[in-house]
Amino acid sequence: MDRPASRAGVDAAAFRSAMRQLAGGISAITVGQDDDRTGLTVTSVSSLSADPPSLVFCINRSSSSWPVLVRRRTFAVNVLSPAQIGVAERFSGRGGAKGAARYEGVRWSRLVTGTPVLRDALAVLDCEVEELVERFGSAVVIGRVVAAEVRVEAAEPEALAYWRGTYGILRL
Amino acid sequence: MDRPASRAGVDAAAFRSAMRQLAGGISAITVGQDDDRTGLTVTSVSSLSADPPSLVFCINRSSSSWPVLVRRRTFAVNVLSPAQIGVAERFSGRGGAKGAARYEGVRWSRLVTGTPVLRDALAVLDCEVEELVERFGSAVVIGRVVAAEVRVEAAEPEALAYWRGTYGILRL
């Protein structure tokens, strides 16, 4: 069962196949405001520290959201429920929607930074960029959380997740 | 619905409540070898880049695994299935097992670095530490993947996840 690869590294296909086995909760990252807004879908949001409240996510620096994030230095995490697969799809770029068009069809509000947050998300976290750790073609974004709200917890007994390249429903 | 917090930051309780809404796939991180081995359970593993194959996870620097990780500079990610809740529990420190005692009761093997990998995990990724980004009381660990294997994919139609403070089963 053990087939050691070269110490120099593993090939990208084997890496991707292994990573597909790891499930991830889905968040839409919103960036910018008004006409200068866009965003992306990620499974990489994680808590970094509760003191100060901070989180991380990973972004490919070829993403259309990257230059807006660098310029605005604020973003929000919108934790999605199964009812919001459409938001996940639009923010992942499927269907071709770009920029502000990704925001159509659902309701948004604001907390502190002014970045749009999804009204009916499971939870939203409004963040300022603490640091952009640029490595390889990607970046680890470290965000300082300036506001956070749980939204539709009682009404929603399921979470939206991504696993083996497709959406799944998580129940407790 | 919008109750803006102070721009200075959100309180830790509100932050934790919001983060509990985000589901995460569960991995056991193994660190060290032989008697000098320990590990931890995380939901924070994410792909960073496929070129070169690299991933990140977050660790509290008060974790018992932190000094071993700093010394060894290698670790492995073991993606857990629902059959491995016991591993998740032991590696999270529940029940009091420490160090090598966390490895009892299941079968391990090795790939390239010598760090133990779980034989029946969904997938395993053997890594060298590329960089430890120490921020606040935590660290973002950037790992270069030197070997990766999918293990029991065909036999396991469910993933193990963590949501709202408890384990959940993810189905497609």
Side-chain angles (χ1 to χ4, degrees):
Chain A
M1 211 165 187
D2 297 347
R3 286 166 288 110
S6 160
R7 184 102 183 195
V10 68
D11 68 88
F15 169 68
R16 286 200 180 94
S17 293
M19 289 303 294
R20 277 168 56 92
Q21 299 300 314
L22 178 63
I26 298 186
S27 302
I29 304 289
T30 42
V31 187
Q33 296 180 37
D34 305 322
D35 288 346
D36 181 35
R37 66 185 157 159
T38 185
L40 70 161
T41 301
V42 302
T43 56
S44 59
V45 174
S46 300
S47 175
L48 176 63
S49 173
D51 181 24
S54 50
L55 55 78
V56 300
F57 74 95
C58 297
I59 183 171
N60 189 309
R61 285 188 280 145
S62 68
S63 163
S64 59
S65 295
W66 173 250
V68 185
L69 182 66
V70 169
R71 190 170 70 244
R72 291 278 190 171
R73 308 289 299 186
T74 55
F75 66 93
V77 174
N78 303 270
V79 180
L80 301 185
S81 76
Q84 293 154 345
I85 283 187
V87 177
E89 287 279 279
R90 278 195 300 284
F91 275 74
S92 70
R94 285 194 198 101
K98 294 182 190 303
R102 295 185 176 176
Y103 288 72
E104 291 175 5
V106 289
R107 296 179 303 163
W108 302 89
S109 57
R110 295 172 180 205
L111 295 177
V112 173
T113 69
T115 307
V117 294
L118 185 58
R119 289 186 69 95
D120 297 324
L122 288 177
V124 293
L125 298 107
D126 196 16
C127 301
E128 295 178 345
V129 170
E130 173 80 18
E131 188 175 348
L132 301 171
V133 182
E134 300 180 36
R135 296 295 182 273
F136 312 128
S138 297
V140 181
V141 179
I142 300 179
R144 185 79 76 107
V145 182
V146 296
E149 284 184 1
V150 174
R151 297 209 146 179
V152 295
E153 177 169 29
E156 187 50 75
E158 299 175 340
L160 182 62
Y162 201 73
W163 187 46
R164 294 180 177 165
T166 191
Y167 296 99
I169 304 297
L170 177 67
R171 298 178 183 87
L172 297 181
Chain B
M1 209 164 189
D2 297 347
R3 288 165 286 109
S6 161
R7 184 100 183 196
V10 67
D11 68 86
F15 168 69
R16 286 200 180 93
S17 293
M19 289 303 297
R20 279 168 53 92
Q21 299 300 313
L22 179 62
I26 299 186
S27 302
I29 304 288
T30 42
V31 187
Q33 295 181 38
D34 305 322
D35 288 346
D36 179 36
R37 66 184 158 160
T38 183
L40 70 161
T41 301
V42 302
T43 57
S44 59
V45 175
S46 299
S47 175
L48 177 62
S49 174
D51 181 25
S54 51
L55 54 80
V56 300
F57 73 95
C58 297
I59 183 171
N60 189 308
R61 285 187 279 143
S62 68
S63 162
S64 59
S65 295
W66 173 249
V68 184
L69 182 65
V70 169
R71 191 169 69 244
R72 291 279 190 170
R73 308 287 299 185
T74 56
F75 66 93
V77 173
N78 304 269
V79 180
L80 301 185
S81 76
Q84 293 154 345
I85 283 186
V87 177
E89 287 280 277
R90 279 195 299 283
F91 274 74
S92 70
R94 286 195 198 100
K98 293 183 190 303
R102 295 184 176 177
Y103 288 72
E104 291 174 7
V106 287
R107 295 179 303 162
W108 302 89
S109 57
R110 296 173 178 204
L111 295 178
V112 173
T113 69
T115 307
V117 294
L118 185 59
R119 288 186 68 97
D120 297 325
L122 288 177
V124 293
L125 298 106
D126 196 17
C127 302
E128 296 179 346
V129 170
E130 173 80 18
E131 187 174 348
L132 301 170
V133 182
E134 301 181 36
R135 296 294 182 274
F136 312 129
S138 297
V140 180
V141 179
I142 300 178
R144 184 78 75 107
V145 182
V146 296
E149 284 185 1
V150 175
R151 296 209 147 179
V152 295
E153 178 170 27
E156 186 51 74
E158 298 175 341
L160 182 63
Y162 201 73
W163 188 45
R164 292 178 178 167
T166 190
Y167 296 100
I169 304 296
L170 176 68
R171 297 179 184 86
L172 295 183

PDB file of all heavy atoms in Angstrom, chain A residues 1-2, chain B residues 78 84 106-110 116-124 149-152:
ATOM      1  N   MET A   1       0.832  -1.205   0.000  1.00  0.00           N
ATOM      2  CA  MET A   1       0.000   0.000   0.000  1.00  0.00           C
ATOM      3  C   MET A   1       0.871   1.261   0.000  1.00  0.00           C
ATOM      4  O   MET A   1       0.440   2.308  -0.442  1.00  0.00           O
ATOM      5  CB  MET A   1      -0.880   0.005   1.245  1.00  0.00           C
ATOM      6  CG  MET A   1      -2.213   0.691   1.010  1.00  0.00           C
ATOM      7  SD  MET A   1      -3.348   0.267   2.341  1.00  0.00           S
ATOM      8  CE  MET A   1      -4.855   1.027   1.693  1.00  0.00           C
ATOM      9  N   ASP A   2       2.107   1.155   0.496  1.00  0.00           N
ATOM     10  CA  ASP A   2       2.981   2.335   0.561  1.00  0.00           C
ATOM     11  C   ASP A   2       3.856   2.402  -0.684  1.00  0.00           C
ATOM     12  O   ASP A   2       4.708   1.552  -0.905  1.00  0.00           O
ATOM     13  CB  ASP A   2       3.901   2.246   1.789  1.00  0.00           C
ATOM     14  CG  ASP A   2       3.093   2.264   3.063  1.00  0.00           C
ATOM     15  OD1 ASP A   2       1.889   2.585   3.001  1.00  0.00           O
ATOM     16  OD2 ASP A   2       3.671   1.951   4.112  1.00  0.00           O
TER      17      ASP A   2
ATOM     18  N   ASN B  78      -3.767  13.076   7.953  1.00  0.00           N
ATOM     19  CA  ASN B  78      -4.535  11.852   7.803  1.00  0.00           C
ATOM     20  C   ASN B  78      -6.015  12.238   7.755  1.00  0.00           C
ATOM     21  O   ASN B  78      -6.584  12.664   8.763  1.00  0.00           O
ATOM     22  CB  ASN B  78      -4.288  10.922   8.999  1.00  0.00           C
ATOM     23  CG  ASN B  78      -2.811  10.606   9.184  1.00  0.00           C
ATOM     24  OD1 ASN B  78      -2.319   9.628   8.637  1.00  0.00           O
ATOM     25  ND2 ASN B  78      -2.091  11.451   9.941  1.00  0.00           N
ATOM     26  N   GLN B  84     -13.447   6.496  12.003  1.00  0.00           N
ATOM     27  CA  GLN B  84     -12.255   6.894  12.785  1.00  0.00           C
ATOM     28  C   GLN B  84     -12.535   8.021  13.770  1.00  0.00           C
ATOM     29  O   GLN B  84     -11.641   8.798  14.105  1.00  0.00           O
ATOM     30  CB  GLN B  84     -11.141   7.270  11.802  1.00  0.00           C
ATOM     31  CG  GLN B  84     -10.686   6.024  11.039  1.00  0.00           C
ATOM     32  CD  GLN B  84     -10.092   6.300   9.695  1.00  0.00           C
ATOM     33  OE1 GLN B  84     -10.239   7.396   9.140  1.00  0.00           O
ATOM     34  NE2 GLN B  84      -9.434   5.294   9.145  1.00  0.00           N
ATOM     35  N   VAL B 106      -5.132   1.490  16.284  1.00  0.00           N
ATOM     36  CA  VAL B 106      -5.297   1.485  14.820  1.00  0.00           C
ATOM     37  C   VAL B 106      -3.928   1.255  14.184  1.00  0.00           C
ATOM     38  O   VAL B 106      -2.889   1.376  14.832  1.00  0.00           O
ATOM     39  CB  VAL B 106      -5.913   2.813  14.296  1.00  0.00           C
ATOM     40  CG1 VAL B 106      -7.393   2.886  14.637  1.00  0.00           C
ATOM     41  CG2 VAL B 106      -5.173   4.021  14.848  1.00  0.00           C
ATOM     42  N   ARG B 107      -3.905   0.944  12.873  1.00  0.00           N
ATOM     43  CA  ARG B 107      -2.670   0.560  12.196  1.00  0.00           C
ATOM     44  C   ARG B 107      -2.053   1.734  11.455  1.00  0.00           C
ATOM     45  O   ARG B 107      -2.755   2.527  10.823  1.00  0.00           O
ATOM     46  CB  ARG B 107      -2.956  -0.574  11.211  1.00  0.00           C
ATOM     47  CG  ARG B 107      -3.411  -1.848  11.907  1.00  0.00           C
ATOM     48  CD  ARG B 107      -3.699  -2.943  10.883  1.00  0.00           C
ATOM     49  NE  ARG B 107      -4.689  -2.532   9.918  1.00  0.00           N
ATOM     50  CZ  ARG B 107      -4.895  -3.111   8.740  1.00  0.00           C
ATOM     51  NH1 ARG B 107      -4.139  -4.137   8.368  1.00  0.00           N
ATOM     52  NH2 ARG B 107      -5.826  -2.683   7.909  1.00  0.00           N
ATOM     53  N   TRP B 108      -0.740   1.828  11.528  1.00  0.00           N
ATOM     54  CA  TRP B 108       0.012   2.922  10.924  1.00  0.00           C
ATOM     55  C   TRP B 108       1.043   2.387   9.956  1.00  0.00           C
ATOM     56  O   TRP B 108       1.501   1.256  10.090  1.00  0.00           O
ATOM     57  CB  TRP B 108       0.705   3.748  12.023  1.00  0.00           C
ATOM     58  CG  TRP B 108      -0.259   4.292  13.023  1.00  0.00           C
ATOM     59  CD1 TRP B 108      -0.681   3.662  14.176  1.00  0.00           C
ATOM     60  CD2 TRP B 108      -0.975   5.521  12.958  1.00  0.00           C
ATOM     61  NE1 TRP B 108      -1.612   4.445  14.820  1.00  0.00           N
ATOM     62  CE2 TRP B 108      -1.813   5.591  14.096  1.00  0.00           C
ATOM     63  CE3 TRP B 108      -0.992   6.576  12.057  1.00  0.00           C
ATOM     64  CZ2 TRP B 108      -2.650   6.676  14.354  1.00  0.00           C
ATOM     65  CZ3 TRP B 108      -1.824   7.660  12.307  1.00  0.00           C
ATOM     66  CH2 TRP B 108      -2.641   7.699  13.439  1.00  0.00           C
ATOM     67  N   SER B 109       1.438   3.202   9.011  1.00  0.00           N
ATOM     68  CA  SER B 109       2.558   2.866   8.129  1.00  0.00           C
ATOM     69  C   SER B 109       3.357   4.141   7.897  1.00  0.00           C
ATOM     70  O   SER B 109       3.171   5.129   8.614  1.00  0.00           O
ATOM     71  CB  SER B 109       2.045   2.265   6.815  1.00  0.00           C
ATOM     72  OG  SER B 109       1.153   3.156   6.174  1.00  0.00           O
ATOM     73  N   ARG B 110       4.247   4.141   6.920  1.00  0.00           N
ATOM     74  CA  ARG B 110       5.074   5.319   6.628  1.00  0.00           C
ATOM     75  C   ARG B 110       5.165   5.525   5.125  1.00  0.00           C
ATOM     76  O   ARG B 110       5.034   4.574   4.361  1.00  0.00           O
ATOM     77  CB  ARG B 110       6.492   5.119   7.181  1.00  0.00           C
ATOM     78  CG  ARG B 110       6.531   5.010   8.683  1.00  0.00           C
ATOM     79  CD  ARG B 110       7.923   4.640   9.162  1.00  0.00           C
ATOM     80  NE  ARG B 110       7.947   4.582  10.634  1.00  0.00           N
ATOM     81  CZ  ARG B 110       9.038   4.746  11.368  1.00  0.00           C
ATOM     82  NH1 ARG B 110      10.202   4.970  10.783  1.00  0.00           N
ATOM     83  NH2 ARG B 110       8.979   4.678  12.674  1.00  0.00           N
ATOM     84  N   PRO B 116       4.357   8.701  10.967  1.00  0.00           N
ATOM     85  CA  PRO B 116       3.311   7.681  10.807  1.00  0.00           C
ATOM     86  C   PRO B 116       2.115   8.219  10.034  1.00  0.00           C
ATOM     87  O   PRO B 116       1.680   9.362  10.242  1.00  0.00           O
ATOM     88  CB  PRO B 116       2.915   7.357  12.257  1.00  0.00           C
ATOM     89  CG  PRO B 116       4.069   7.801  13.105  1.00  0.00           C
ATOM     90  CD  PRO B 116       4.649   8.982  12.386  1.00  0.00           C
ATOM     91  N   VAL B 117       1.577   7.384   9.133  1.00  0.00           N
ATOM     92  CA  VAL B 117       0.324   7.695   8.435  1.00  0.00           C
ATOM     93  C   VAL B 117      -0.660   6.560   8.698  1.00  0.00           C
ATOM     94  O   VAL B 117      -0.281   5.389   8.774  1.00  0.00           O
ATOM     95  CB  VAL B 117       0.526   7.912   6.918  1.00  0.00           C
ATOM     96  CG1 VAL B 117       1.368   9.162   6.667  1.00  0.00           C
ATOM     97  CG2 VAL B 117       1.142   6.702   6.257  1.00  0.00           C
ATOM     98  N   LEU B 118      -1.914   6.936   8.816  1.00  0.00           N
ATOM     99  CA  LEU B 118      -2.972   5.988   9.183  1.00  0.00           C
ATOM    100  C   LEU B 118      -3.300   5.101   7.985  1.00  0.00           C
ATOM    101  O   LEU B 118      -3.665   5.592   6.918  1.00  0.00           O
ATOM    102  CB  LEU B 118      -4.200   6.792   9.632  1.00  0.00           C
ATOM    103  CG  LEU B 118      -5.403   6.056  10.167  1.00  0.00           C
ATOM    104  CD1 LEU B 118      -5.055   5.218  11.383  1.00  0.00           C
ATOM    105  CD2 LEU B 118      -6.488   7.080  10.533  1.00  0.00           C
ATOM    106  N   ARG B 119      -3.219   3.779   8.171  1.00  0.00           N
ATOM    107  CA  ARG B 119      -3.396   2.863   7.042  1.00  0.00           C
ATOM    108  C   ARG B 119      -4.771   2.985   6.413  1.00  0.00           C
ATOM    109  O   ARG B 119      -4.903   2.895   5.201  1.00  0.00           O
ATOM    110  CB  ARG B 119      -3.157   1.421   7.484  1.00  0.00           C
ATOM    111  CG  ARG B 119      -1.704   1.117   7.766  1.00  0.00           C
ATOM    112  CD  ARG B 119      -1.503  -0.361   8.051  1.00  0.00           C
ATOM    113  NE  ARG B 119      -1.727  -1.157   6.856  1.00  0.00           N
ATOM    114  CZ  ARG B 119      -0.746  -1.583   6.040  1.00  0.00           C
ATOM    115  NH1 ARG B 119       0.507  -1.259   6.309  1.00  0.00           N
ATOM    116  NH2 ARG B 119      -1.018  -2.307   4.984  1.00  0.00           N
ATOM    117  N   ASP B 120      -5.805   3.145   7.215  1.00  0.00           N
ATOM    118  CA  ASP B 120      -7.166   3.132   6.676  1.00  0.00           C
ATOM    119  C   ASP B 120      -7.805   4.513   6.606  1.00  0.00           C
ATOM    120  O   ASP B 120      -9.031   4.643   6.598  1.00  0.00           O
ATOM    121  CB  ASP B 120      -8.037   2.192   7.516  1.00  0.00           C
ATOM    122  CG  ASP B 120      -7.532   0.761   7.442  1.00  0.00           C
ATOM    123  OD1 ASP B 120      -7.046   0.361   6.372  1.00  0.00           O
ATOM    124  OD2 ASP B 120      -7.619   0.045   8.456  1.00  0.00           O
ATOM    125  N   ALA B 121      -6.995   5.558   6.548  1.00  0.00           N
ATOM    126  CA  ALA B 121      -7.530   6.911   6.337  1.00  0.00           C
ATOM    127  C   ALA B 121      -8.147   7.012   4.949  1.00  0.00           C
ATOM    128  O   ALA B 121      -7.886   6.184   4.070  1.00  0.00           O
ATOM    129  CB  ALA B 121      -6.409   7.939   6.480  1.00  0.00           C
ATOM    130  N   LEU B 122      -8.991   8.034   4.745  1.00  0.00           N
ATOM    131  CA  LEU B 122      -9.483   8.299   3.388  1.00  0.00           C
ATOM    132  C   LEU B 122      -8.317   8.668   2.479  1.00  0.00           C
ATOM    133  O   LEU B 122      -8.269   8.275   1.316  1.00  0.00           O
ATOM    134  CB  LEU B 122     -10.494   9.453   3.402  1.00  0.00           C
ATOM    135  CG  LEU B 122     -11.862   9.173   4.011  1.00  0.00           C
ATOM    136  CD1 LEU B 122     -12.702  10.455   3.995  1.00  0.00           C
ATOM    137  CD2 LEU B 122     -12.577   8.076   3.232  1.00  0.00           C
ATOM    138  N   ALA B 123      -7.396   9.456   3.026  1.00  0.00           N
ATOM    139  CA  ALA B 123      -6.207   9.850   2.272  1.00  0.00           C
ATOM    140  C   ALA B 123      -5.145  10.275   3.272  1.00  0.00           C
ATOM    141  O   ALA B 123      -5.466  10.658   4.413  1.00  0.00           O
ATOM    142  CB  ALA B 123      -6.516  11.007   1.323  1.00  0.00           C
ATOM    143  N   VAL B 124      -3.898  10.212   2.853  1.00  0.00           N
ATOM    144  CA  VAL B 124      -2.790  10.677   3.692  1.00  0.00           C
ATOM    145  C   VAL B 124      -1.854  11.532   2.837  1.00  0.00           C
ATOM    146  O   VAL B 124      -1.671  11.270   1.650  1.00  0.00           O
ATOM    147  CB  VAL B 124      -2.001   9.501   4.318  1.00  0.00           C
ATOM    148  CG1 VAL B 124      -2.876   8.767   5.329  1.00  0.00           C
ATOM    149  CG2 VAL B 124      -1.501   8.524   3.251  1.00  0.00           C
ATOM    150  N   GLU B 149      -1.407   9.764  -0.845  1.00  0.00           N
ATOM    151  CA  GLU B 149      -2.109   8.550  -1.281  1.00  0.00           C
ATOM    152  C   GLU B 149      -3.579   8.633  -0.913  1.00  0.00           C
ATOM    153  O   GLU B 149      -3.915   8.991   0.220  1.00  0.00           O
ATOM    154  CB  GLU B 149      -1.542   7.308  -0.580  1.00  0.00           C
ATOM    155  CG  GLU B 149      -0.228   6.848  -1.121  1.00  0.00           C
ATOM    156  CD  GLU B 149       0.221   5.553  -0.469  1.00  0.00           C
ATOM    157  OE1 GLU B 149      -0.504   5.013   0.395  1.00  0.00           O
ATOM    158  OE2 GLU B 149       1.311   5.095  -0.823  1.00  0.00           O
ATOM    159  N   VAL B 150      -4.429   8.238  -1.849  1.00  0.00           N
ATOM    160  CA  VAL B 150      -5.819   7.966  -1.534  1.00  0.00           C
ATOM    161  C   VAL B 150      -5.867   6.533  -1.047  1.00  0.00           C
ATOM    162  O   VAL B 150      -5.200   5.666  -1.604  1.00  0.00           O
ATOM    163  CB  VAL B 150      -6.713   8.117  -2.791  1.00  0.00           C
ATOM    164  CG1 VAL B 150      -8.147   7.700  -2.487  1.00  0.00           C
ATOM    165  CG2 VAL B 150      -6.670   9.551  -3.280  1.00  0.00           C
ATOM    166  N   ARG B 151      -6.619   6.295   0.031  1.00  0.00           N
ATOM    167  CA  ARG B 151      -6.567   4.950   0.587  1.00  0.00           C
ATOM    168  C   ARG B 151      -7.864   4.167   0.424  1.00  0.00           C
ATOM    169  O   ARG B 151      -7.988   3.341  -0.445  1.00  0.00           O
ATOM    170  CB  ARG B 151      -6.088   5.024   2.034  1.00  0.00           C
ATOM    171  CG  ARG B 151      -4.636   5.571   2.059  1.00  0.00           C
ATOM    172  CD  ARG B 151      -3.824   5.087   3.196  1.00  0.00           C
ATOM    173  NE  ARG B 151      -2.427   4.969   2.783  1.00  0.00           N
ATOM    174  CZ  ARG B 151      -1.457   4.576   3.578  1.00  0.00           C
ATOM    175  NH1 ARG B 151      -1.700   4.272   4.833  1.00  0.00           N
ATOM    176  NH2 ARG B 151      -0.233   4.485   3.129  1.00  0.00           N
ATOM    177  N   VAL B 152      -8.893   4.466   1.190  1.00  0.00           N
ATOM    178  CA  VAL B 152     -10.053   3.571   1.183  1.00  0.00           C
ATOM    179  C   VAL B 152     -11.249   4.175   0.446  1.00  0.00           C
ATOM    180  O   VAL B 152     -12.387   3.923   0.798  1.00  0.00           O
ATOM    181  CB  VAL B 152     -10.455   3.173   2.617  1.00  0.00           C
ATOM    182  CG1 VAL B 152      -9.353   2.347   3.245  1.00  0.00           C
ATOM    183  CG2 VAL B 152     -10.764   4.390   3.457  1.00  0.00           C
TER     184      VAL B 152
END
